[in-house]
Amino acid sequence: MVCDDGCVHPPRDLDELMSRARALEGVALSELMDVSGLAVRTKGKAGEAMERALGATGVGASLDFPELGVELKTIPVEPDLKPRESTFVCAVALAHADREEWDDSWVKRKLSRVLWMPIVHEAALRRVGRAVLWAPTEEQTCILQADFEEILGAIAIGGIEGVTAHMGRWLQLRPKAADSHARALALGPDDALIETVPRGFYLRSRFTGAILRDPSATP
Amino acid sequence: MVCDDGCVHPPRDLDELMSRARALEGVALSELMDVSGLAVRTKGKAGEAMERALGATGVGASLDFPELGVELKTIPVEPDLKPRESTFVCAVALAHADREEWDDSWVKRKLSRVLWMPIVHEAALRRVGRAVLWAPTEEQTCILQADFEEILGAIAIGGIEGVTAHMGRWLQLRPKAADSHARALALGPDDALIETVPRGFYLRSRFTGAILRDPSATP
DNA sequence: TAGGATCCAGCTTTGGATCCTT
DNA sequence: AAGGATCCAAAGCTGGATCCTA
């Protein structure tokens, strides 16, 4: 499972992926990565450590395991599995939000099958929790699609500034200020193009928390 | 309009009621009641002062102006009309929530016509704001009814403990802990009767704030 | 610049607790 | 006990700000 240079080979199938994921349960994060620099210095690193540990192959704007159709999401949780944050899904194409369709959206593709790897935060210690492989049920897909369409519809009607993070039952749109000085072109009122902060789709923690407990839940 | 003992006679019709209500605009609360005892000692008193000032006649479980079909609600707001609190409507009959019907509910009756008297809080001063006479539009009634039925349905299915204040777009159910030690009998899971804190229906401030600005709004 | 994931100040909401009058 | 309304600590949510790697 490990080649000469310390890399993990890609999993051949879902079973192998899940065996690896389950084998990581209980492992301290410090065993998978360098956690020196303490606390503040781990943004995004846990996700990358998990990708390496599981043998993810995806690059750029693709899934983490393209052959298996699986997206990997590392999610920080409390000991009771309550997520500490909402989960980023993907950026939104602000400039032509009016022609987006659910069926060929990145949101739908990314969420069609997700391997959730909880990282349990307990005081200073962080451990891998129980992995969950999830594909949305039909009912869940309907609600996600409705959220998606509500948000894009609102952009089309009132422009991006009329959209708030209150919209959407499970999916919401929020600033994705990777570079807080960045500006993107977006649809404003009256079809004008305006500059605004880049935004992304996020899953509310009420929903991701429910998935971790029961993958077919509808909170 | 004032009889010998300082009482205000009841208004004969809606016009008279509204004239009085509008005449109170800008009046400091200290002119209508004793505000000594400062701040903490005014719970419910502003509402009673307003009843007296307008000549309300209702007693017990009835409307404030039974002949006019009007319920009076005194509501604390910020200078920009944003309500400081949700608004209590009435208690819920916890013991037989399963047989309640919207059409003969107290919620519907109390909300069929409301005279809103905002009390504008600005620093230490409190003044009467602009009165609003409101009756729900057909659309608003539909949403209120849907909220009511969602909440009562949830009680019927999962018992009172399964109902949270998150339910309902405009109407919500919350503890009505007038006496925090009080307990009421309510439907629990499996149709058992359990003891619980008394609860009441409240209107969210998102909704009451919208009514004050535009009585036909659907926030 | 894109992907991946936290961090956090400040505001809002929940779930009661309190207070007064009839 | 019911009607009327306010107070508040703690939890949750919004709207960004930050940080790292490729």
Side-chain angles (χ1 to χ4, degrees), chain B residues 41 43 45 48 165 172 174-175 177-178 180 204:
Chain B
R41 298 255 163 240
K43 295 183 181 183
K45 280 188 169 173
E48 290 149 25
Q172 61 175 180
R174 303 233 317 259
S180 55
R204 293 181 187 280

Side-chain angles (χ1 to χ4, degrees), chain A residues 50-101:
Chain A
M50 209 57 66
E51 290 176 358
R52 283 195 307 275
L54 293 169
T57 60
V59 289
S62 80
L63 300 179
D64 295 293
F65 301 94
E67 313 79 9
L68 305 179
V70 169
E71 172 74 7
L72 175 65
K73 284 291 172 197
T74 305
I75 183 172
V77 298
E78 303 295 334
D80 64 356
L81 291 189
K82 190 199 304 276
R84 295 167 63 99
E85 291 287 339
S86 52
T87 301
F88 178 70
V89 180
C90 62
V92 65
L94 282 173
H96 40 88
D98 43 346
R99 273 167 296 135
E100 285 279 343
E101 295 283 350

Side-chain angles (χ1 to χ4, degrees), chain A residues 4-65:
Chain A
D4 299 342
D5 57 353
C7 284
V8 176
H9 72 69
R12 275 165 312 218
D13 52 36
L14 280 178
D15 281 346
E16 191 176 12
L17 175 58
M18 286 311 289
S19 308
R20 287 185 194 174
R22 286 284 156 78
L24 288 172
E25 187 173 345
V27 171
L29 207 57
S30 55
E31 297 177 50
L32 298 174
M33 56 181 280
D34 174 25
V35 289
S36 63
L38 295 117
V40 171
R41 299 255 162 240
T42 60
K43 296 183 179 183
K45 280 187 167 171
E48 289 148 24
M50 209 57 66
E51 290 176 358
R52 283 195 307 275
L54 293 169
T57 60
V59 289
S62 80
L63 300 179
D64 295 293
F65 301 94

Side-chain angles (χ1 to χ4, degrees), chain B residues 48-66:
Chain B
E48 290 149 25
M50 208 57 65
E51 291 177 358
R52 282 196 309 277
L54 293 170
T57 61
V59 288
S62 79
L63 300 179
D64 294 292
F65 301 94

